[in-house]
Amino acid sequence: MVFLRQLSETGRNFVSKPHRFDNRVEDSVLGGAVSVQTIAEVLTQHVLAAADKAGHGDVLDSVEPTVPTNNPKFGDYQSNHAFRIGRALKTNPRQVAEQVCSQMSEHPAVKRAEVAGPGFINFHLNDAWMGQHVQTQLQDAQFGVPQSGADKTLVIDFSAPNVAKRMHVGHMRSTIIGDALMRLHRATGWHVISDNHIGDWGTQYGKLVVGWDRWRDEDAFAGDPIGELERLYVRFGVEAESDASLHAAARAETAKLQAGDARVLDLWKQFIAVSLAEFDQVYQRLDVHFDETLGESHYNEQLPGIVEELEAAGIAQQSDGAVIIRFDDEHENKTLRGTVLVIRKQDGAYLYGTTDLATIRHRSRTWSPSRVVYVTDLRQQLHFQQFFDAWRAWDPDGTADDIELIHTWFGIIKDPTGAMSTRAGNVIRLVELMDEAVRRARAIVDEKSPQLSDAERAEVAEVVGVGSVRYADLSQNPQSDVSFDWDRMLAMDGNTAPYLLYSYARCRSIQRKSDDAQSLDPSSLAMEHPRSRELVSSISRFPEAVQQSIANLRPNVLCDYLFELANAFNRFYYDVSVLKTEEDDLRRCRLALVEATALTLERGLGMLGIGVLSRM
Ligand code: ARG
């Protein structure tokens, strides 16, 4: 198969992928090993069949799905296929829509299909079919989410803090967003390898060794190892201003490290160990796990050979004693034009980009991934675009065209209240940040739920506190700047973790109060009330929300969906009295709907790494 190279953007993530067809719809729309189709997929196929009968089959080679409407006036789903056909044939889309509609056969899902406006086709779904569809969804192990990643491997590179430095809030965002992206990929069937590419190599270690030998405070190191290492690093900078010999000393220590000197190597290992111990506290608290932690140092020995290869291939060149890759002025990617990626400095040191080239080669050889995703803040955009391009040019194993490389970047956190800094203006430890979130959540639970035992309140505070920090990050578009605001993230109303968790707990509380709860089986969902129908419809859209979230690599799409679902549930709760429903069958149906809501919320929150609580 021949792949053309293509640079494109998914949202504003930078995607460098082999070109088959540019299609925002995941492969499942086009068939594949899918257990349950989403409603959008069912309807899309229905439209395509009719379009084919109307003689337009070959026009629609690239398929956009039928999408949910945002106004019930227009039915449940809307197709804009007629516009695509109209554009291709230069005919009036309204006419095309009417033609296609007239060719539509009966479909159990469709109560009514009608042409609207300049050429939309609106679908009103059949209630019984929709109820049945939701039941199938709930019984499916994947919750009806198409397994478009089946048989594919993803390597995801996130968190990746630097050793001997405090993990900063950018690393926290990378950790939270990366973890959610990993969970979302798993939910769509991908085989996932998470690799923590920690920064554990560089000339700073020579400086640290010099600092350690001269100024270390062992007690301080025991209490806050990273804090002490940061202090030594800063002290080195200050002292070196008046004593230039320190630089030579640091270079000598770095050289010893590279030569494998036992003492220096031991120190370096100790710095890594204490740093990883602190990072692990954050990971444990967030329930984040890595399959691999192959830091930069893992690739040291490969770097000289790689630079040689790149030079020999004419991809890299000598420039003032350094080795660089120059991107020409006509480069197809405008951002790269005239830029330079240094892969070896004058002094012989290798760089971040050199290591990334070695790393992708290792990942390609070890896991044969279809996709590699990197999650960092926006400042690294140029780096990734350069390195992706260099990798495709180099292509040492002929695999570059099989791998889609994606840099998904996020904005900077604004901190108007200073929550992220210590009084001295330093970045605070992320564990302390989470402690503070839990403390604040605890104060709220103590006040609002005194009936819970002490142990229960502690559990609620932990889930709500950590979940809120997480959700506050995930629920915003990653590529906009976000602000960190305790009150907003812990608010009981609005698009927040506490609101979603509370909605879930409300479901469980309704069930506890009912004698029917034990025999609960969501086998028939009542849609006699508009609020019930709205809720069933919302639940039925879960797979599409997950699909869209992953297609755009944006967890916030799933957050928005869950918020909508919780809203639909709360409207149902206020307008339809579940427990007071007289008629037994109807009451059981309504309870089934409560169960369906709870299961969907739980599954969705789980994909974001947030646990649920039966009481709060
Ligand atoms: N350690 C880097 C930093 O803190 C992030 C590494 C991202 N991953 C990569 N393969 N370059 O900025």
Side-chain angles (χ1 to χ4, degrees):
M1 212 181 304
V2 180
F3 294 129
L4 298 173
R5 195 186 324 153
Q6 189 203 0
L7 302 164
S8 73
E9 287 186 289
T10 303
R12 285 152 73 205
N13 297 310
F14 183 76
V15 181
S16 168
K17 66 171 162 188
H19 178 66
R20 271 159 282 192
F21 43 82
D22 180 30
N23 195 333
R24 279 173 18 111
V25 187
E26 293 267 298
D27 301 348
S28 56
V29 169
L30 306 171
V34 177
S35 46
V36 184
Q37 281 187 312
T38 65
I39 297 179
E41 289 167 354
V42 169
L43 295 176
T44 297
Q45 275 188 357
H46 187 54
V47 179
L48 293 186
D52 201 28
K53 273 207 240 161
H56 302 315
D58 44 348
V59 177
L60 291 169
D61 55 345
S62 155
V63 188
E64 286 285 332
T66 308
V67 294
T69 60
N70 44 22
N71 184 341
K73 236 176 43 198
F74 303 129
D76 298 301
Y77 281 77
Q78 186 161 73
S79 141
N80 58 17
H81 292 92
F83 294 99
R84 299 175 66 104
I85 300 172
R87 211 177 307 131
L89 301 179
K90 302 202 173 26
T91 48
N92 178 344
R94 168 104 198 175
Q95 253 170 356
V96 176
E98 273 157 11
Q99 227 180 357
V100 170
C101 246
S102 71
Q103 290 299 326
M104 250 173 222
S105 47
E106 295 268 306
H107 192 290
V110 182
K111 188 165 84 187
R112 194 150 45 89
E114 62 201 10
V115 177
F120 294 105
I121 303 173
N122 291 343
F123 290 99
H124 299 258
L125 293 179
N126 201 328
D127 287 4
W129 184 88
M130 189 159 78
Q132 188 59 50
H133 186 88
V134 165
Q135 283 156 34
T136 314
Q137 176 177 317
L138 293 172
Q139 279 149 16
D140 177 45
Q142 317 304 338
F143 261 58
V145 176
Q147 301 297 291
S148 51
D151 306 323
K152 292 196 268 187
T153 297
L154 163 81
V155 176
I156 182 159
D157 177 316
F158 67 102
S159 194
N162 299 319
V163 162
K165 282 201 184 138
R166 188 76 77 221
M167 211 193 219
H168 60 64
V169 75
H171 294 123
M172 181 176 80
R173 290 205 79 191
S174 171
T175 308
I176 290 174
I177 295 171
D179 180 59
L181 292 176
M182 170 161 91
R183 290 170 191 265
L184 282 164
H185 275 87
R186 288 217 171 97
T188 48
W190 286 80
H191 173 59
V192 179
I193 307 282
S194 53
D195 184 7
N196 196 0
H197 188 73
I198 55 170
D200 61 357
W201 197 254
T203 49
Q204 71 271 31
Y205 294 99
K207 298 180 189 170
L208 276 179
V209 171
V210 170
W212 178 261
D213 287 343
R214 300 184 190 212
W215 313 299
R216 73 171 173 270
D217 174 341
E218 305 228 348
D219 288 341
F221 184 71
D224 173 13
I226 297 188
E228 175 62 4
L229 292 176
E230 283 196 326
R231 188 187 69 85
L232 292 176
Y233 191 77
V234 170
R235 173 103 184 244
F236 180 95
V238 173
E239 303 269 347
E241 267 173 33
S242 52
D243 178 0
S245 75
L246 285 173
H247 285 295
R251 270 198 298 278
E253 298 297 345
T254 303
K256 278 195 224 162
L257 178 62
Q258 280 159 348
D261 175 279
R263 187 190 80 96
V264 179
L265 210 55
D266 272 355
L267 267 180
W268 171 71
K269 282 188 187 149
Q270 197 188 346
F271 298 159
I272 294 179
V274 294
S275 307
L276 282 180
E278 179 163 328
F279 302 156
D280 276 340
Q281 289 179 350
V282 176
Y283 299 145
Q284 263 177 31
R285 202 69 181 272
L286 287 169
D287 193 23
V288 170
H289 304 273
F290 293 96
D291 300 306
E292 303 284 348
T293 300
L294 299 176
E296 295 178 11
S297 68
H298 183 78
Y299 303 97
N300 282 342
E301 280 163 18
Q302 302 168 21
L303 305 182
I306 289 177
V307 171
E308 269 170 39
E309 263 187 55
L310 289 169
E311 264 193 274
I315 296 165
Q317 56 204 249
Q318 295 276 343
S319 169
D320 291 336
V323 182
I324 63 168
I325 296 175
R326 194 190 294 284
F327 300 88
D328 65 53
D329 295 338
E330 263 89 65
H331 199 285
E332 57 178 337
N333 175 357
K334 282 195 191 126
T335 314
L336 293 184
R337 289 180 186 168
T339 66
V340 161
L341 176 70
V342 182
I343 57 175
R344 198 178 73 204
K345 290 204 291 192
Q346 280 98 334
D347 65 5
Y350 299 96
L351 291 107
Y352 188 50
T354 331
T355 310
D356 262 328
L357 286 166
T359 307
I360 181 64
R361 183 176 70 175
H362 171 81
R363 289 171 175 168
S364 162
R365 287 181 180 173
T366 314
W367 298 297
S368 308
S370 309
R371 178 183 276 185
V372 183
V373 171
Y374 299 82
V375 189
T376 78
D377 74 34
L378 76 184
R379 289 170 301 185
Q380 299 198 29
Q381 288 177 88
L382 177 62
H383 165 75
F384 281 101
Q385 298 193 27
Q386 289 180 326
F387 133 62
F388 290 175
D389 195 80
W391 156 249
R392 291 206 181 285
W394 177 34
D395 196 9
D397 303 324
T399 55
D401 272 344
D402 302 334
I403 308 177
E404 179 187 27
L405 299 172
I406 303 179
H407 177 222
T408 179
W409 51 269
F410 51 81
I412 301 291
I413 285 202
K414 285 192 227 126
D415 178 22
T417 57
M420 329 271 327
S421 317
T422 60
R423 227 170 280 149
N426 304 319
V427 184
I428 75 163
R429 289 199 213 188
L430 294 182
V431 179
E432 284 165 16
L433 187 87
M434 283 181 266
D435 285 342
E436 175 67 14
V438 172
R439 218 169 10 249
R440 286 170 182 259
R442 177 68 198 243
I444 299 173
V445 194
D446 282 348
E447 190 200 314
K448 296 216 163 137
S449 308
Q451 79 285 2
L452 297 181
S453 74
D454 194 61
E456 278 173 325
R457 275 181 278 150
E459 195 207 336
V460 171
E462 178 71 23
V463 173
V464 171
V466 175
S468 297
V469 170
R470 200 169 196 142
Y471 194 82
D473 201 332
L474 294 176
S475 59
Q476 314 196 43
N477 176 350
Q479 284 148 7
S480 56
D481 287 354
V482 304
S483 53
F484 192 92
D485 179 341
W486 285 122
D487 292 336
R488 216 178 66 203
M489 79 170 75
L490 286 163
M492 278 292 194
D493 48 7
N495 189 5
T496 65
Y499 175 68
L500 295 181
L501 291 170
Y502 188 72
S503 303
Y504 176 86
R506 173 171 276 167
C507 293
R508 294 308 185 205
S509 146
I510 296 172
Q511 292 178 324
R512 272 195 304 274
K513 288 187 197 128
S514 157
D515 300 333
D516 302 316
Q518 292 317 101
S519 63
L520 200 65
D521 162 26
S523 59
S524 54
L525 301 165
M527 278 172 278
E528 73 315 319
H529 194 288
R531 293 300 190 209
S532 311
R533 190 186 190 280
E534 184 188 57
L535 183 53
V536 173
S537 163
S538 177
I539 294 168
S540 77
R541 290 174 183 185
F542 174 72
E544 289 159 19
V546 175
Q547 237 179 2
Q548 263 172 39
S549 201
I550 191 127
N552 298 299
L553 295 178
R554 288 209 176 143
N556 62 307
V557 173
L558 180 57
C559 295
D560 288 346
Y561 165 79
L562 292 172
F563 180 48
E564 284 303 316
L565 172 62
N567 285 337
F569 169 71
N570 285 311
R571 283 193 294 267
F572 164 81
Y573 172 79
Y574 287 115
D575 292 354
V576 181
S577 55
V578 179
L579 295 172
K580 291 200 196 101
T581 307
E582 294 277 325
E583 202 203 314
D584 282 353
D585 274 352
L586 187 57
R587 191 176 59 252
R588 269 197 282 273
C589 285
R590 288 176 172 171
L591 277 163
L593 203 40
V594 173
E595 168 76 355
T597 306
L599 291 175
T600 307
L601 280 173
E602 181 172 9
R603 183 59 76 104
L605 285 167
M607 289 178 190
L608 303 172
I610 299 173
V612 289
L613 297 155
S614 305
R615 303 167 199 266
M616 63 184 274

